């Protein structure tokens, strides 16, 4: 008999839910709503919003003057906000409040003369957005190995990408602090991320197998998969079509977890399938 456990924290976090709700509302009120890039890292969410009339474009230049523009949950740079104002765009700002808080810290401390150090992935839109609120260039670190023992830091302010793996984040911060003369650290890893990762650690230890549902472009979903693999055999899938259970025995405990941008419908599809397969 297979036991199926669905993690309580699987699926939309409050920031993603807020962003999607604001975008849906905007689509209901106007036929002229644009979004530059993905609103969240999940193509099913973006597709649903497209069907409601939101136009997804690659750059701000493609948005006509005076239109409504959605600022994605990951946030954007200060430069992009100014660009929107120049074009007289009406902002539908879905930036997660947790990310907004980092923007404010980075702006304030860079103005006070601190060099900003961001622990995160330099190619991720959230990190690109955060760095764009500093008045001077930022240092971005993603791996402990990127820091040499000889590298020293003067006056720095450390913030982290909201979806950083907590252990990895702490190790990097510890290493930076060892070689820093004057530093201030802000704990900016999102608590929704922390709760999800903690629940996953606990449940994965008790499971034979874990299924992580998320978009391959979703940083937090990929982190969940990284963590899950440490405790039990795991599979990362985008949707039900990728689910492969042939090799699983009939008697095992299966954990279902999903990233913060994974809609409930995708989770339900998988759970339903697993139950039918019991
Ligand atoms: S994971 Fe946290 S920071 Fe990111 S959107 Fe969700 S609530 Fe906001």
């Amino acid at each position: 008999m297979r036991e199926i456990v669905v993690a309580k924290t699987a699926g939309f976090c409050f920031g993603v839910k807020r962003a999607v709700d604001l975008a849906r509302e905007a689509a209901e009120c106007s036929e002229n709503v644009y979004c530059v890039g993905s609103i969240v890292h999940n193509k099913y969410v973006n597709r649903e919003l497209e069907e409601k009339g939101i136009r997804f474009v690659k750059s701000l230049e493609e948005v006509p003057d005076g239109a409504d523009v959605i600022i994605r949950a990951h946030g954007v740079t200060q430069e992009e906000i100014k660009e929107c104002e120049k074009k007289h765009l009406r902002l539908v700002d879905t930036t997660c409040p947790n990310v907004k808080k980092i923007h404010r810290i980075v702006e304030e401390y860079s103005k006070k003369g601190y060099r900003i150090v961001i622990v995160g992935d330099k190619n991720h839109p959230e990190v690109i957005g955060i760095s764009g609120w500093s008045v001077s260039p930022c240092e971005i670190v993603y791996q402990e190995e990127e820091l040499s023992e000889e590298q020293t830091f003067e006056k720095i302010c450390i913030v982290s990408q909201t979806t950083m793996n907590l252990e990895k984040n702490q190790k990097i911060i510890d290493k930076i602090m060892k070689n820093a003369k004057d530093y201030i650290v802000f704990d900016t890893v999102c608590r929704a991320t922390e709760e999800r990762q903690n629940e996953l650690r606990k449940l994965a230890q008790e499971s034979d197998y874990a299924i992580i549902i998320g978009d391959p472009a979703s940083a937090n979903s990929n982190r969940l998969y990284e963590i899950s693999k440490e405790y039990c055999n795991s599979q990362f899938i985008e949707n039900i079509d990728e689910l492969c259970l042939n090799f699983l025995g009939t008697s095992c405990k299966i954990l279902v977890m999903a990233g913060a941008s994974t809609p409930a419908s995708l989770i339900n599809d998988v759970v339903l399938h697993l139950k039918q397969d019991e």
Side-chain angles (χ1 to χ4, degrees):
M1 169 93 173
R2 283 181 185 163
E3 187 186 344
I4 297 142
V5 177
V6 185
K8 283 199 190 76
T9 53
F12 281 5
C13 60
F14 100 90
V16 169
K17 185 178 179 312
R18 178 180 170 273
V20 174
D21 286 348
L22 285 170
R24 282 182 186 141
E25 260 172 47
E28 272 167 28
C29 300
S30 163
E31 288 174 358
N32 207 15
V33 187
Y34 288 76
C35 185
V36 181
S38 307
I39 181 163
V40 294
H41 273 154
N42 191 285
K43 56 177 79 73
Y44 296 90
V45 174
N46 296 320
R47 199 176 294 161
E48 183 225 303
L49 294 172
E50 205 165 21
E51 281 163 9
K52 290 196 183 317
I54 294 176
R55 279 167 260 194
F56 286 87
V57 291
K58 289 204 170 68
S59 72
L60 261 183
E61 280 125 56
E62 294 172 65
V63 182
D65 287 12
D68 294 5
V69 69
I70 293 172
I71 304 295
R72 59 181 179 243
H74 292 308
V76 295
T77 63
Q78 198 170 24
E79 204 46 50
E80 283 169 274
I81 298 285
K82 285 183 185 156
E83 195 58 35
C84 291
E85 283 164 2
K86 259 194 239 157
K87 286 172 76 96
H88 305 291
L89 302 177
R90 195 183 76 86
L91 298 186
V92 181
D93 190 354
T94 77
T95 308
C96 175
N98 293 343
V99 178
K100 260 266 173 290
K101 188 176 119 195
I102 310 178
H103 291 175
R104 283 195 290 269
I105 294 169
V106 165
E107 186 179 16
E108 181 186 338
Y109 281 84
S110 62
K111 281 181 179 163
K112 285 181 181 167
Y114 285 81
R115 183 170 170 79
I116 304 295
V117 179
I118 307 169
V119 182
D121 174 2
K122 65 176 186 303
N123 297 314
H124 192 280
E126 182 190 315
V127 174
I128 296 169
I130 292 169
S131 65
W133 289 82
S134 171
V135 296
S136 54
C138 301
E139 182 101 26
I140 303 173
V141 187
Y142 191 41
Q143 306 284 352
E144 246 186 288
E145 300 74 51
E146 290 167 28
L147 297 160
S148 72
E149 294 299 331
E150 297 75 45
Q151 188 174 3
T152 55
F153 297 92
E154 294 294 326
K155 188 178 173 185
I156 55 167
C157 167
I158 308 172
V159 293
S160 305
Q161 185 177 348
T162 54
T163 48
M164 274 303 289
N165 172 315
L166 287 167
E167 285 172 27
K168 183 172 164 180
N169 182 57
Q170 198 51 54
K171 279 186 187 157
I172 295 171
I173 292 177
D174 288 346
K175 198 161 174 185
I176 296 172
M177 288 194 304
K178 241 172 53 186
N179 291 342
K181 290 200 175 81
D182 177 8
Y183 58 81
I184 181 159
V185 185
F186 287 93
D187 174 7
T188 57
V189 175
C190 168
R191 287 303 171 250
T193 301
E194 185 181 7
E195 276 169 32
R196 194 183 304 259
Q197 291 179 357
N198 286 344
E199 189 189 17
L200 174 63
R201 277 191 190 91
K202 182 180 173 294
L203 294 178
Q205 282 177 50
E206 301 162 359
S207 305
D208 300 300
Y209 199 75
I211 296 161
I212 312 294
I213 314 164
D215 192 292
S218 157
N220 79 85
S221 304
N222 279 292
R223 299 265 198 287
L224 293 175
Y225 181 50
E226 269 174 35
I227 294 169
S228 177
K229 280 191 295 182
E230 290 172 21
Y231 298 97
C232 66
N233 285 326
S234 308
Q235 189 177 150
F236 183 86
I237 59 167
E238 188 175 1
N239 59 39
I240 184 79
D241 299 335
E242 292 177 4
L243 188 65
C244 172
L245 299 169
N246 299 343
F247 54 92
L248 274 183
T250 45
S251 173
C252 61
K253 189 166 173 179
I254 307 175
L255 167 66
V256 179
M257 175 50 106
S261 46
T262 306
S265 57
L266 295 187
I267 304 170
N268 292 340
D269 284 352
V270 171
V271 173
L272 209 67
H273 183 89
L274 288 171
K275 287 197 168 152
Q276 281 165 356
D277 206 50
E278 268 179 315

